[in-house]
């Protein structure tokens, strides 16, 4: 399973009108992208194609040491240092991955629904996390009203860190399927001022679990062009 199929399972909506991951993704635009980091491994995830019935996600994976200073120039010139480069097609009618192509291997990839966290949550509803439920900065207050500031993750856009970002957090429960993440609660943070930006900036398991799952976004942006044409 590619890193995209791991990370994209974390993606959902930043608005109360979006009920599922699929709803949020179709609100995005071609060229929207994020760069995720987990355990010194990075993935650039970009909306490559979007129609009424089809979504194609482009994923480029690379070590953190190859993190580009200029993402647009790096991708256009061939993504120096990347370890994999692929496209994943999602049928928006059936919410299934229908095909995938690896530019690195110059071959089609075979997918199984059992291997894809994505296929299990595309239509799972998310619920907003209320302010009183959110994590706060500093030690707990012994008594009286809690005046501590609400914690937010950092937000990087087009290579720049935004000051005082505001987020809309959501919660989902992973299906009980016997896997390591079975029944686990996951929180996702989306930029509340980001309009229809389709990707989250932070995600993690919040209940006690042996399944360590946390990711952060170290850059994001829009209107990113790619030299790769879809063979799909």
């Amino acid at each position: 399973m590619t890193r995209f199929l791991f990370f994209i399972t974390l993606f959902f909506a930043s608005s109360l009108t979006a009920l599922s991951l699929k709803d949020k993704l179709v609100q995005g635009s071609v060229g929207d992208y994020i760069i995720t980091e987990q355990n010194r491994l990075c993935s650039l995830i970009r909306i490559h194609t979007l129609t009424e019935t089809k979504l194609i996600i482009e994923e480029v994976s690379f070590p953190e040491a190859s993190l580009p200073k200029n993402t647009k120039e790096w991708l256009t010139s061939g993504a120096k240092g990347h370890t994999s480069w692929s496209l994943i097609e999602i049928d928006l009618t059936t919410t299934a991955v229908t095909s995938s192509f690896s530019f690195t291997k110059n071959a089609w990839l075979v997918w199984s629904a059992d291997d894809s966290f994505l296929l299990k949550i595309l239509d799972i509803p998310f619920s907003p996390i209320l302010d009183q439920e959110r994590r706060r900065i500093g030690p707990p207050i012994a008594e009286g009203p809690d005046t501590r500031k609400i914690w937010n993750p950092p937000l990087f856009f087009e290579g720049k860190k935004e000051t005082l970002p505001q987020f809309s957090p959501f919660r989902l429960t992973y299906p009980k399927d016997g896997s390591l993440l079975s029944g686990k609660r996951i929180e996702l943070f989306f930029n509340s001022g980001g309009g229809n930006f389709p990707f989250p900036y932070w995600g993690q398991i919040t209940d006690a679990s042996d399944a360590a799952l946390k990711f952060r976004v170290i850059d994001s942006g829009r209107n990113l062009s790619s030299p790769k044409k879809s063979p799909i």
Side-chain angles (χ1 to χ4, degrees), residues 16 38 41 43 46 59 64 69 133 139 150 191 218 230:
L16 296 178
Q38 187 188 45
L41 297 176
S43 284
R46 170 185 176 268
E59 181 201 19
E64 188 177 29
K69 293 183 178 180
E133 300 176 296
I150 292 176
N191 180 12
I218 56 179
S230 175

Side-chain angles (χ1 to χ4, degrees), residues 21-38:
L21 165 62
K22 183 173 70 173
D23 294 331
K24 183 57 180 176
L25 290 175
V26 299
Q27 293 176 16
S29 302
V30 171
D32 290 351
Y33 74 95
I34 57 173
I35 298 179
T36 66
E37 184 276 332
Q38 187 188 45

Side-chain angles (χ1 to χ4, degrees), residues 129-185:
I129 301 174
L130 303 179
D131 283 352
Q132 56 265 37
E133 300 176 296
R134 294 185 61 179
R135 169 183 167 188
R136 294 178 180 270
I137 301 172
I141 302 297
E143 57 183 46
D146 194 340
T147 58
R148 295 175 299 164
K149 292 183 178 180
I150 292 176
W151 176 86
N152 282 304
L155 192 159
F156 294 89
F157 191 85
E158 302 287 1
K160 297 180 179 179
K161 184 177 182 179
E162 296 195 3
T163 58
L164 301 176
Q166 297 298 313
F167 288 88
S168 297
F170 292 82
R171 179 184 294 120
L172 71 92
T173 300
Y174 191 76
K176 293 185 177 180
D177 60 356
S179 69
L180 193 61
L181 298 178
S182 178
K184 297 296 184 280
R185 292 176 300 170

